[in-house]
């Protein structure tokens, strides 16, 4: 199973990149945002890769960061959501925006993605949010009740990272390294922690 590729860009188009790796061309489906971030033909690029095996094809999905890859794999684990729809989410939402929507139970943020209706969005939030509730261990379906403190923001950030597939140890260490003592902004914490995790891969 292919998990990582580095090579020279042969072609790129909306949602796809053809990568030359030692003389072998790999066509990757990628988030549309990623196409704008990589260089043109002849320039080197690298991708975290999810290999999707079907009866009639082997499909490769490429991502510029490990956070995007983990988000993708979390979403395709939701019943009724396939890789194309998961890729659409990543084309329109950053990992931190997705994590924030899950933590806050904001299904409306997902309905802005083409192809996702209210029922699908609610199912995505429900399935991933249940995992977060179990990890928090406080029995609160929508998250931690009460005023937001630096401590609760750090706990929520750890939970959001774990929903994206990171281990509790990885999430706690990343949040610990980036969190200011008085930080209460969940979005900032998750964003900074994701950047730290991507750099340490």
């Amino acid at each position: 199973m292919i998990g990582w590729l580095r090579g020279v860009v042969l072609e790129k188009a909306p949602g796809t990149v053809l990568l030359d790796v030692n003389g072998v061309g790999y066509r990757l489906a990628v988030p549309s945002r990623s196409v704008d971030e990589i260089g043109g033909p002849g320039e080197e690029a690298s991708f975290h890769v999810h290999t999707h095996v079907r009866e009639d094809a082997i499909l490769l999905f490429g991502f510029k960061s490990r956070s995007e890859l983990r988000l993708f794999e979390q979403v395709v684990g939701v019943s009724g959501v396939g890789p194309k729809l998961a890729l659409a989410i990543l084309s329109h939402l950053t990992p931190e925006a997705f994590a924030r929507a899950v933590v806050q139970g904001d299904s409306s943020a997902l309905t802005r993605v083409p192809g996702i209706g209210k029922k699908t969005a609610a199912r995505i939030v429900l399935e991933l949010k249940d995992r977060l509730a179990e990890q928090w261990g406080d029995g609160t379906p929508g998250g931690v009740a009460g005023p937001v403190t630096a401590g609760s923001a750090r706990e929520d950030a750890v939970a959001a990272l774990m929903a994206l597939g990171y281990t509790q140890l990885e999430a706690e260490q990343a949040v610990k390294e980036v969190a200011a003592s008085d930080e209460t902004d969940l979005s900032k914490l998750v964003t900074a922690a994701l950047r730290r995790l991507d750099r340490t891969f």
Side-chain angles (χ1 to χ4, degrees):
M1 182 176 293
I2 298 172
W4 169 265
L5 287 174
R6 176 185 285 122
V8 177
V9 175
L10 293 178
E11 300 174 2
K12 71 173 188 176
T16 184
V17 172
L18 181 62
L19 199 66
D20 177 1
V21 181
N22 297 324
V24 179
Y26 294 87
R27 187 171 298 279
L28 307 174
V30 301
S32 58
R33 292 182 298 105
S34 297
V35 175
D36 297 330
E37 296 173 1
I38 66 173
E43 296 190 38
E44 187 175 271
S46 58
F47 295 89
H48 299 268
V49 176
H50 173 86
T51 304
H52 186 76
V53 180
R54 300 190 323 203
E55 291 183 1
D56 59 342
I58 297 177
L59 305 176
L60 301 179
F61 295 85
F63 306 94
K64 295 302 296 176
S65 72
R66 186 169 58 149
S67 299
E68 289 185 319
L69 171 64
R70 295 207 179 194
L71 185 156
F72 177 86
E73 292 177 339
Q74 286 286 316
V75 175
V76 295
V78 174
S79 59
V81 179
K84 289 185 178 180
L85 197 54
L87 193 67
I89 292 175
L90 276 167
S91 293
H92 291 81
L93 293 174
T94 62
E96 54 268 26
F98 174 80
R100 182 168 59 250
V102 170
V103 170
Q104 297 178 350
D106 183 12
S107 60
S108 64
L110 299 180
T111 60
R112 301 187 188 103
V113 177
I116 296 185
K118 291 183 178 179
K119 290 184 178 180
T120 301
R123 184 164 62 249
I124 291 172
V125 170
L126 177 63
E127 293 196 22
L128 296 183
K129 194 174 183 180
D130 284 345
R131 299 177 194 177
L132 287 178
E134 291 176 5
Q135 292 160 4
W136 288 334
D138 67 354
T140 306
V144 179
V148 177
T149 65
S152 65
R154 287 193 292 270
E155 291 175 0
D156 290 358
V158 169
L161 292 169
M162 291 173 67
L164 294 176
Y166 293 99
T167 66
Q168 183 171 354
L169 180 61
E170 288 175 325
E172 289 178 343
Q173 184 63 32
V175 171
K176 180 181 178 181
E177 291 176 358
V178 302
S181 59
D182 59 348
E183 181 61 78
T184 59
D185 189 314
L186 176 60
S187 177
K188 289 181 180 179
L189 275 177
V190 173
T191 299
L194 285 172
R195 289 173 179 166
R196 175 61 62 93
L197 286 163
D198 286 336
R199 286 200 300 269
T200 57
F201 179 74

